[in-house]
């Protein structure tokens, strides 16, 4: 038995590779974190060290005190995770104040967790509280079509949500609460983490203009599937806009209301405006 045999580690590595194969992770683009379950911490305890020094997270996440996360390393390439996980990813522990972290496993050749750790942990804190502890996965990627749309659509939650819902009938079922949009901001710090986690109070998806996307979910499948669905809808919208600037026909606001009844989802009226 090695730590790499643990099911959650296998799932984490597989998702990194799936994202790479989708073309969402040029160079070191994107990052990924998973809040471990207590039984998973127990399962791999013999591999976890507690000698490394505490370092500041760069923000405060008091509700995550004592939690353990598996996280990709800063500057590490998603395409290498499957070949050399110990070099590319790590497990970190958050201190009792929620202000510092230490590396307990991984990054054997040095390095630190992703530069977006403040955004990951602030999103985890918000989503853990909003979901009653169910959400465990935060995933940041650089998918080309969603980024392309941030140059041509108004940077408004309502517009991105509605335009992407219209691209595939199942979109409003997959991301019923909608999509938030963050204007261009400097990445890697506390300010963008605050703005993103504020949107995550309402949504499971946040777009960073001219940069990429964050998704939150309960497990690897749901979170990867969410990123995949939003990006596929974006691809269809890019294709559609490339053919002609307007639509001959589409899914209407009333169609969405009918769908909501049939599929038992709540679709906020703010997205069903008349055009
Ligand atoms: P890291 O390599 O530090 O994770 O940064 C990549 C990225 O996508 C920043 O937004
Ligand atoms: Zn990024």
């Amino acid at each position: 038995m090695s730590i790499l045999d643990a099911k959650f580690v296998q799932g984490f590595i597989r998702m990194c590779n799936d994202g790479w194969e989708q073309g969402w992770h040029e160079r070191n683009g994107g990052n990924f974190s998973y809040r471990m379950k207590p039984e998973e911490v127990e399962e791999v305890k013999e591999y976890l060290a507690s000698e490394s020094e505490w370092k500041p997270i760069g923000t405060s996440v008091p509700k995550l005190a004592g939690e353990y996360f598996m996280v990709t390393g800063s500057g590490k390439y998603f395409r290498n995770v499957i070949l050399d996980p110990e070099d590319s990813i790590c497990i970190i522990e958050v201190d009792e104040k929620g202000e510092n972290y230490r590396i307990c496993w991984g990054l054997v050749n040095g390095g630190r967790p992703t530069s977006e750790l403040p955004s990951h942990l602030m999103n985890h804190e918000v989503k853990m509280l909003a979901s009653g502890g169910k959400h465990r996965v935060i995933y940041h990627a650089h998918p080309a079509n969603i980024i392309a749309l941030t140059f041509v659509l108004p940077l408004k939650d309502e517009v991105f949500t509605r335009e992407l819902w219209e691209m595939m009938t199942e979109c409003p079922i997959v991301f019923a609460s909608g999509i938030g949009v963050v204007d261009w901001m400097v990445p890697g710090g506390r300010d963008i983490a605050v703005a993103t986690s504020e949107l995550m109070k309402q949504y499971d998806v946040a777009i960073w203009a001219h940069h990429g996307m964050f998704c939150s979910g309960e497990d690897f499948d749901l979170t990867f599937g969410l990123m995949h669905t939003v990006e596929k809808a974006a691809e269809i919208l890019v294709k559609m806009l490339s053919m002609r600037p307007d639509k001959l026909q589409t899914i209407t606001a009333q169609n969405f209301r009918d769908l909501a009844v049939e599929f038992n989802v709540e679709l906020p009226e703010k997205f069903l405006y008349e055009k």
Side-chain angles (χ1 to χ4, degrees):
M1 161 84 189
S2 133
I3 188 170
L4 299 176
D5 297 327
K7 199 162 174 245
F8 77 94
V9 183
Q10 289 288 311
F12 189 97
I13 294 170
R14 178 179 171 218
M15 188 152 145
C16 290
N17 205 58
D18 287 348
W20 155 249
E21 287 181 350
Q22 289 295 326
W24 299 338
H25 300 287
E26 77 293 338
R27 204 173 180 278
N28 65 309
N31 27 73
F32 175 32
S33 62
Y34 171 68
R35 185 168 59 85
M36 290 163 61
K37 297 175 182 165
E39 61 268 29
E40 290 166 338
V41 177
E42 200 51 46
E43 182 189 355
V44 301
K45 208 160 191 112
E46 62 181 294
Y47 303 99
L48 303 183
S50 52
E51 298 87 58
S52 88
E53 56 178 316
W54 293 103
K55 301 223 168 96
I57 293 166
T59 189
S60 179
V61 283
K63 296 290 191 296
L64 297 180
E67 295 277 348
Y68 286 78
F69 294 85
M70 179 158 266
V71 190
T72 51
S74 185
K76 299 295 183 180
Y77 292 25
F78 270 55
R79 66 186 280 261
N80 290 337
V81 171
I82 197 166
L83 297 176
D84 198 359
E86 286 106 329
D87 172 76
S88 305
I89 64 179
C90 61
I91 292 175
I92 60 166
E93 178 189 1
V94 174
D95 74 354
E96 81 283 356
K97 287 205 196 107
E99 286 179 2
N100 300 285
Y101 74 86
R102 67 180 169 192
I103 296 174
C104 306
W105 174 85
L107 289 176
V108 291
N109 299 308
R112 61 185 182 97
T114 173
S115 58
E116 305 294 0
L117 193 64
S119 280
H120 277 262
L121 294 185
M122 289 192 85
N123 287 340
H124 273 294
E125 188 176 51
V126 160
K127 298 309 290 186
M128 183 183 81
L129 294 174
S131 69
K134 285 189 181 149
H135 276 225
R136 294 188 170 274
V137 185
I138 298 289
Y139 181 31
H140 169 57
H142 295 174
N145 292 288
I146 206 80
I147 296 172
L149 289 176
T150 65
F151 295 93
V152 297
L153 290 185
L155 299 175
K156 300 234 172 312
D157 305 359
E158 289 77 6
V159 175
F160 268 79
T161 301
R162 177 66 176 277
E163 292 305 315
L164 292 171
W165 277 3
E166 283 186 39
M167 291 301 106
M168 285 193 296
T169 296
E170 300 205 351
C171 283
I173 299 153
V174 177
F175 46 99
S177 55
I179 294 179
V181 185
V182 180
D183 286 348
W184 189 88
M185 289 180 79
V186 175
R190 186 173 182 276
D191 291 352
I192 198 166
V194 170
T196 311
S197 60
E198 194 55 39
L199 291 174
M200 284 292 189
K201 289 178 182 165
Q202 294 177 63
Y203 308 120
D204 294 337
V205 184
I207 292 168
W208 283 2
H210 324 323
H211 182 147
M213 179 160 40
F214 268 84
C215 289
S216 173
E218 295 183 15
D219 60 28
F220 298 136
D221 278 353
L222 286 166
T223 314
F224 189 85
L226 181 56
M227 180 78 70
H228 203 186
T229 306
V230 175
E231 172 58 6
K232 183 165 182 190
E235 182 180 349
I236 299 168
L237 185 52
V238 168
K239 285 186 200 296
M240 190 231 103
L241 291 169
S242 312
M243 288 186 279
R244 52 182 290 162
D246 57 346
K247 300 165 190 148
L248 271 187
Q249 56 274 323
T250 188
I251 306 170
T252 66
Q254 190 52 45
N255 291 155
F256 285 122
R257 293 188 188 101
D258 296 344
L259 195 70
V261 173
E262 205 55 42
F263 282 82
N264 209 13
V265 290
E266 218 173 292
L267 300 180
E269 274 293 319
K270 69 170 175 172
F271 302 125
L272 301 179
Y273 50 86
E274 284 311 315
K275 292 196 195 174

